[in-house]
Amino acid sequence: MTKLSVNINKIATLRNARGHNRPDVLQVARDCERFGAQGITVHPRPDERHIRYQDVRDLRQIVTTELNVEGNPTPDFMDLVREVRPEQVTLVPDAPDAITSNAGWDTITHQIYLIGVVTELKSIGCRVSIFLDPDLAMVKAAVATGTDRIELYTEDYARQYPQDPAKAIAPYTVAATLAQQLGLGLNAGHDLDLENLAYLHQNLPGLAEVSIGHALVCDALYYGLENTIQLYRRQLQ
């Protein structure tokens, strides 16, 4: 079964727009779990423009499914995850000024660095996932880092899907198959929505988890949060 982890960054963005605590990020996380989410994902950035570091600490106290903390392993980020010890840490090589994640790791060039980070995170009990493009060389090199999983960056798939679903999914299917052969767990995320999620799920062998935030929150404006989470869960059946 592929799990749905709900990324609540956009909830924090809305809260921060007014400087108070509405919507309440912690209550939304509780409700997402109550409505069927099988995990909560957050991506604290250095400028804390949406999820703040304190949010992550507070979420650790109330999340009962699985907390997935994404980010570039800067010293501050590593200090945070050492303190919080989430179930999963997803390593993302985003620049501090990036609007959103826009590329996967080069696991060849940065292999020694990633080995050190992965080793430390696993030593404190975190499952580790490395954000990757569907590049077979990068998937192969990820094995040497010791990571438990990879997360395929699905923006290209989402962009191409409306024109040619089969062409859009092809490199991801090949990468997922290789990951499975190499013993790597598989996650996926970025720009997944109610239109393209089921097809992705049907064509990625061994897909363990998807993390979805922006599209899910947008859909919730129309369908309501509870109904939306159930709609997304159905795409993964």
Side-chain angles (χ1 to χ4, degrees), residues 37-62:
Q38 295 147 303
I40 300 295
T41 292
V42 289
H43 189 148
R45 287 187 164 84
D47 61 6
E48 297 188 310
R49 65 180 180 269
H50 37 63
I51 286 292
R52 300 167 181 154
Y53 277 34
Q54 188 57 47
D55 291 328
V56 182
R57 297 183 182 100
D58 294 340
L59 285 163
R60 172 70 289 174
Q61 303 305 312
I62 62 100

Side-chain angles (χ1 to χ4, degrees), residues 192-225:
L192 299 176
D193 59 27
L194 290 173
E195 297 299 321
N196 59 41
L197 180 57
Y199 190 78
L200 180 99
H201 176 247
Q202 293 159 9
N203 288 279
L204 289 195
L207 182 61
E209 175 186 299
V210 294
S211 58
I212 304 177
H214 184 79
L216 190 150
V217 171
C218 291
D219 288 333
L221 295 175
Y222 291 90
Y223 305 134
L225 185 59

Side-chain angles (χ1 to χ4, degrees), residues 34 45 77 113-114 124 147 164 174 182 184 190 194 212 220:
R34 183 163 59 90
R45 287 187 164 84
F77 180 87
Y113 172 68
L114 288 169
I124 60 173
T147 190
D164 190 337
V174 175
L182 295 173
L184 291 170
H190 206 88
L194 290 173
I212 304 177

Side-chain angles (χ1 to χ4, degrees), residues 58-162:
D58 294 340
L59 285 163
R60 172 70 289 174
Q61 303 305 312
I62 62 100
V63 169
T64 60
T65 53
E66 178 178 289
L67 181 61
N68 173 41
V69 180
E70 302 178 338
N72 196 326
T74 61
D76 286 346
F77 180 87
M78 291 298 289
D79 285 344
L80 178 68
V81 295
R82 287 186 198 101
E83 176 186 349
V84 172
R85 301 193 179 199
E87 283 80 12
Q88 179 170 269
V89 177
T90 300
L91 303 176
V92 183
D94 55 350
D97 60 349
I99 295 175
T100 186
S101 305
N102 54 23
W105 283 95
D106 181 335
T107 51
I108 297 173
T109 301
H110 301 290
Q111 188 166 105
I112 300 302
Y113 172 68
L114 288 169
I115 288 172
V117 173
V118 170
T119 299
E120 178 171 1
L121 291 172
K122 291 176 72 170
S123 75
I124 60 173
C126 301
R127 182 172 70 240
V128 183
S129 180
I130 294 179
F131 198 59
L132 286 186
D133 297 308
D135 181 313
L136 299 187
M138 298 305 154
V139 175
K140 290 177 183 176
V143 176
T145 70
T147 190
D148 302 291
R149 296 184 183 182
I150 60 171
E151 178 176 332
L152 291 179
Y153 170 44
T154 51
E155 181 182 8
D156 283 346
Y157 163 73
R159 187 175 64 251
Q160 296 180 52
Y161 177 84

Side-chain angles (χ1 to χ4, degrees), residues 26-44:
L26 300 186
Q27 188 57 49
V28 171
R30 291 187 188 97
D31 289 336
C32 285
E33 291 184 314
R34 183 163 59 90
F35 297 153
Q38 295 147 303
I40 300 295
T41 292
V42 289
H43 189 148

